[in-house]
Amino acid sequence: QVQLVESGGGSVQAGGSLRLSCATSGYISNNMGWFRQAPGKEREGVAAIYTNPGSTYYADSVKGRFTISQDTVTNTVYLQMNSLKPEDTAIYYCAAGIAGAYGQFWNVPSFYNHWGQGTQVTVSS
């Protein structure tokens, strides 16, 4: 049984930091991603990490502030979020990608076939 369990969400003031974790079991993917969805908006890709060939991808809106990383021993993916802004408020989802997907599709939800339940991040001004 595949499970992706996110944790680490919460409420912070603008400029603060949070670290999201995604523990995976039952499935190991070489490409993992973080997405977010704000009320009334479509789900958007935030960051992804492709183990082979060791590439990371970021949405322009989070470059320089967010960092995705992966612990291959514990099968945990992290999203370090710094300098948070109110517009970062959303539910954040961890996702495991389809094997063999190309990096150019890192932010396309249909290229991920397993999803976590989401964790709420709220940033106040």
Side-chain angles (χ1 to χ4, degrees):
Q1 182 179 358
V2 178
Q3 279 192 318
L4 283 71
V5 180
E6 302 99 334
S7 61
S11 297
V12 296
Q13 290 190 329
S17 298
L18 284 173
R19 188 194 196 200
L20 305 183
S21 299
C22 173
T24 66
S25 61
Y27 178 75
I28 298 175
S29 174
N30 287 329
N31 40 309
M32 300 290 296
W34 284 98
F35 288 74
R36 67 186 181 188
Q37 188 165 18
K41 294 188 177 181
E42 293 187 353
R43 190 169 297 191
E44 65 170 345
V46 175
I49 184 165
Y50 280 50
T51 304
N52 184 19
S55 300
T56 55
Y57 305 88
Y58 296 95
D60 289 343
S61 59
V62 307
K63 280 181 181 176
R65 300 188 298 122
F66 291 11
T67 303
I68 188 170
S69 61
Q70 184 176 31
D71 184 332
T72 56
V73 175
T74 62
N75 293 327
T76 303
V77 181
Y78 301 98
L79 185 68
Q80 178 66 44
M81 306 186 296
N82 298 328
S83 302
L84 283 162
K85 304 176 181 180
E87 51 263 43
D88 294 318
T89 295
I91 299 175
Y92 283 71
Y93 298 91
C94 173
I98 297 172
Y102 291 107
Q104 65 193 88
F105 301 118
W106 74 268
N107 59 348
V108 180
S110 59
F111 280 80
Y112 293 80
N113 53 359
H114 297 285
W115 293 81
Q117 81 288 350
T119 185
Q120 177 70 48
V121 171
T122 302
V123 184
S124 58
S125 57

